[in-house]
Amino acid sequence: MKITFLALLIMASCIPMEQKGKLTFRDLRQEEIDEMERRQEAIRQAEVARLELQREKKREMEEIISDAKAGFEEIKPLLKSKCFDCHDSNTKLPAYGRIFPRINPIHKHQVEGIKALDFVDGYPLKAQGTPLQISLLKSIRDEVLDRGMPLKSYTLVYRSKRIFEEDERRILNWVDPLITRLQDFSGKYEPMESNPRSDALKILEMKCYRCHAHGVAKGGFGDMEDTKKLLSSGYVDLNNPDQSEIYKLSENKEMPTNKRDALSDHELFTLREWLILESKEKPKN
Ligand code: HEC
Ligand code: HEC
């Protein structure tokens, strides 16, 4: 404050007295102080708004999680009866499932099942590679609608563990509104940026990571989260971006494995746009 005052004093002394403007020393100082205060107030208000938005985001997520947990408890008995044998790390297999673990298909199903999805802690759901919750929820939805789960080899033996209409309805009643809420949440707080790179990476995160990233490598293809590694892998061809394996498989709907999860035309466009962008930025050799 002292320094500003001194500066003002010097500035004020430079204003020729006979000038027509009526700015006196006192007015100039006051104006300068007002302006400074206005700026400080604007900064303070922006900070308040930012913190409020953060608090609101946190509050909203906590509410979603708490509702999701409650909803999960309601369908837990159903999941326990039909899914936990392979999707709960606390469930112990019957003795015949535990012998010869290396070659026993029942044991193998449990190991693989738990990796793909572990209901042990309820919501948030666990899975190897910690994929996005929304991606896991959608995969549950897909499997239930397609009756892809429980595995056929299992329901052939345990007929009553198939998914029936009523089970489908109950599971979707939990999953669907939750997917919508999570979508709304990210639309509100993490909108797409209309930047092909970050948009494409978000699409891959949503549609591919749970089988090809963070330690999961279906078909021997993993580490997708490492963009540099992905771009220099055999799955991307920067000389012919739209001949890239990751693009071709997505375009002809071979990947993701479930057709319901196939990339939309807009998503394919974004993926292609990004690969072309990367091919242009690639250092020429
Ligand atoms: C007999 C064992 C078994 C049972 C019972 C079972 N699953 Fe699975 N599930 C698996 C295995 C094994 C995988 C991993 C498949 C793979 O790696 O391709 C899996 C994967 C999944 C996935 C991940 C699919 C994806 O696209 O990532 C979901 C979702 C799923 N199961 C849901 C369920 C639900 C819901 C139930 C109960 C209604 C259920 N499963 C019952 C064995 C089982
Ligand atoms: C539910 C699991 C799952 C999801 C999700 C998934 N994949 Fe796959 N992916 C697999 C499996 C299983 C294989 C190996 C078996 C096969 O080739 O069919 C595979 C293989 C691949 C391969 C290697 C093919 C080869 O011939 O070596 C590529 C590339 C691939 N996936 C790309 C993708 C892309 C891109 C996405 C997202 C748009 C995706 N995958 C989503 C399960 C998945």
Side-chain angles (χ1 to χ4, degrees), residues 82-83 86-87 109 113 139-140 143 149-150 154 163 210 218:
K82 307 210 169 178
C83 319
C86 303
H87 291 291
H109 286 155
S139 76
I140 294 177
E143 295 298 341
M149 285 286 151
Y154 179 79
I163 294 272
R210 69 175 196 278
K218 296 274 166 73

Side-chain angles (χ1 to χ4, degrees), residues 99-239:
I99 50 166
F100 309 122
R102 277 175 179 279
I103 51 161
N104 190 332
I106 298 171
H107 183 267
K108 189 163 172 285
H109 286 155
Q110 192 190 38
V111 170
E112 292 301 313
I114 288 169
K115 276 192 206 160
L117 172 66
D118 191 349
F119 286 122
V120 69
D121 292 332
Y123 191 87
L125 302 166
K126 273 167 70 173
Q128 191 195 15
T130 54
L132 294 174
Q133 288 297 311
I134 194 163
S135 173
L136 270 178
L137 289 164
K138 281 188 172 173
S139 76
I140 294 177
R141 176 175 210 281
D142 293 346
E143 295 298 341
V144 166
L145 284 172
D146 291 342
R147 304 289 192 265
M149 285 286 151
L151 292 176
K152 288 275 172 305
S153 56
Y154 179 79
T155 50
L156 279 175
V157 182
Y158 302 102
R159 300 291 293 163
S160 65
K161 304 227 175 192
R162 283 171 297 159
I163 294 272
F164 299 99
E165 294 269 317
E166 171 63 11
D167 307 322
E168 172 185 316
R169 196 188 57 74
R170 291 185 58 203
I171 296 175
L172 295 191
N173 270 351
W174 179 63
V175 166
D176 281 348
L178 192 48
I179 291 174
T180 308
R181 282 177 81 182
L182 290 171
Q183 265 164 348
D184 290 349
F185 180 89
S186 67
K188 186 167 165 192
Y189 297 107
E190 299 143 6
M192 283 279 197
E193 293 159 28
S194 290
N195 157 356
R197 178 177 286 122
S198 63
D199 288 356
L201 293 177
K202 266 189 203 171
I203 293 165
L204 298 182
E205 183 177 19
M206 188 68 190
K207 304 259 168 158
C208 323
Y209 276 24
R210 69 175 196 278
C211 298
H212 297 297
H214 299 297
V216 187
K218 296 274 166 73
F221 171 39
D223 296 333
M224 256 185 129
E225 77 281 11
D226 183 342
T227 311
K228 238 188 182 160
K229 190 167 173 185
L230 173 66
L231 288 173
S232 56
S233 74
Y235 301 105
V236 171
D237 182 354
L238 288 183
N239 294 315

Side-chain angles (χ1 to χ4, degrees), residues 85-96:
D85 276 353
C86 303
H87 291 291
D88 171 61
S89 44
N90 273 346
T91 295
K92 216 166 166 213
L93 288 175
Y96 63 83

